[in-house]
Amino acid sequence: FRMAHADALDAACAVAAAPGVPLRQSQGEPRRSAVGGPSKGSTWTPHSFVAGCIAGALSQLAGHPFDTFKVHVQTQLAEPLSLRVLFRGCGPPVLSTGFCAAFALGTYDNLRRWLHVRCGFGAEQPTPMVLHVAASAGSGALTAFLTCPVQRIKITQQVHSGSLAHTVATALRTRSLYRDLGVTMAFQVIGRIVYYPSYVYIKGLLGDRPGQPQLSMPLAIAAGGAANTVSWMVIYPIDVVQTMRMSDRSAASAVQTARALVAEGGVRRLYGGLMPTLLRGFCIGGIQLPLFDLSLAALERWSTP
């Protein structure tokens, strides 16, 4: 296992160092320690986790009504959508998303830092895109173990209502907190592989390059929103299957659920509720990653002697 791990790491480093691999400045660009880059060879910072918590909690609160509407469309639930209903079930995701985002963004940023140094890049060099992808995949795989029970509880409350205590107790009694971990793993890994590197790439297109001033907030918001929108367009069918599996008590597998959905309404059934999801994705992405940048920069300034 160690040999396979070392070989995979060496391969990633070789690809990152190969000619023609794009080296773009980014959130997490080493030249700018204020946005998560290695500072004086550092491969670890707790600030990424704190900044992720702040960004995750606030962005989730802003996007929760869109998420509730999406779940109602996906499950074809006939219920009037009042303000109370739109924010129903927001407690667990807002409280937990801060922690989950802290873990996801903190893991991503610290993995990127470690890979940057491990692959022999200096503090004045931008992190190659392939290392952003590798760090995103690692972050997604680990984050799935945290988000799977949170999603289970959130979706159950959104569809079936009931108190938080009752929902949690039922999930524990039926041992269903980690139901469909594989689907959640695919959702998290693919989603983050698209989300974080897309943010890096779009920021570069908008002028975020070495030696240049950092992007203005409107451009950073546009980059974050666009990156999350692209990510949701890729992973949305997985999300539909995940939602149906977690809201349904049947024993059907994820593949059987996907086939049943296609048989019910064609491929379009896998994209039901896409528009509110894209709106929510732009809203959350436009808040989360720029706010992560700002929070991380502030924390690193305050901690610098």
Side-chain angles (χ1 to χ4, degrees):
F1 174 79
R2 290 182 178 178
M3 291 180 63
H5 171 75
D7 289 343
L9 181 58
D10 290 341
C13 292
V15 172
V21 173
L23 303 179
R24 289 192 178 273
Q25 177 121 1
S26 64
Q27 155 235 350
E29 208 292 296
R31 182 183 297 268
R32 300 175 182 171
S33 61
V35 287
S39 177
K40 299 181 181 179
S42 172
T43 59
W44 163 262
T45 175
H47 297 145
S48 300
F49 294 94
V50 179
C53 181
I54 296 170
L58 293 180
S59 61
Q60 176 62 39
L61 181 62
H64 188 79
F66 294 103
D67 185 62
T68 299
F69 182 69
K70 177 205 70 174
V71 169
H72 276 63
V73 172
Q74 288 178 341
T75 58
Q76 299 182 339
L77 183 65
E79 180 182 15
L81 289 173
S82 63
L83 189 63
R84 181 183 64 83
V85 171
L86 286 173
F87 278 95
R88 187 171 66 194
C90 71
V94 169
L95 293 175
S96 60
T97 297
F99 177 74
C100 291
F103 184 83
L105 286 166
T107 301
Y108 158 72
D109 188 52
N110 281 287
L111 273 175
R112 183 201 56 76
R113 290 167 181 258
W114 180 78
L115 287 169
H116 183 97
V117 174
R118 173 66 176 77
C119 291
F121 293 96
E124 294 302 314
Q125 293 177 282
T127 300
M129 186 62 70
V130 66
L131 298 188
H132 282 288
V133 172
S136 300
S139 172
L142 294 173
T143 303
F145 290 95
L146 297 179
T147 59
C148 188
V150 172
Q151 284 292 102
R152 175 67 170 166
I153 293 169
K154 176 182 72 70
I155 291 173
T156 300
Q157 281 208 293
Q158 288 174 323
V159 175
H160 302 292
S161 69
S163 69
L164 174 60
H166 175 73
T167 302
V168 173
T170 300
L172 289 173
R173 186 178 67 254
T174 58
R175 298 180 181 179
S176 61
L177 278 177
Y178 279 94
R179 182 184 184 185
D180 293 311
L181 177 61
V183 179
T184 304
M185 185 81 68
F187 175 82
Q188 288 291 332
V189 171
I190 297 172
R192 295 190 189 280
I193 283 177
V194 178
Y195 183 25
Y196 297 156
S198 291
Y199 180 61
V200 172
Y201 181 74
I202 295 171
K203 285 179 68 178
L205 292 179
L206 294 176
D208 189 45
R209 298 183 178 89
Q212 300 295 322
Q214 294 187 25
L215 289 183
S216 64
M217 183 52 62
L219 288 179
I221 290 173
N228 206 21
T229 300
V230 171
S231 175
W232 272 106
M233 290 177 70
V234 172
I235 61 175
Y236 191 75
I238 302 175
D239 182 63
V240 173
V241 173
Q242 176 182 248
T243 299
M244 293 302 298
R245 293 283 300 128
M246 290 187 173
S247 63
D248 188 12
R249 297 181 177 87
S250 71
S253 68
V255 174
Q256 290 171 329
T257 300
R259 288 176 176 171
L261 289 171
V262 173
E264 176 184 317
V267 176
R268 292 182 60 183
R269 181 67 177 88
L270 294 176
Y271 288 90
L274 177 62
M275 288 309 299
T277 300
L278 295 183
L279 290 173
R280 171 182 175 269
F282 189 90
C283 177
I284 289 181
I287 295 173
Q288 188 177 81
L289 293 185
L291 185 56
F292 175 74
D293 284 345
L294 285 175
S295 301
L296 183 56
L299 289 168
E300 292 193 338
R301 282 197 304 271
W302 293 337
S303 66
T304 301

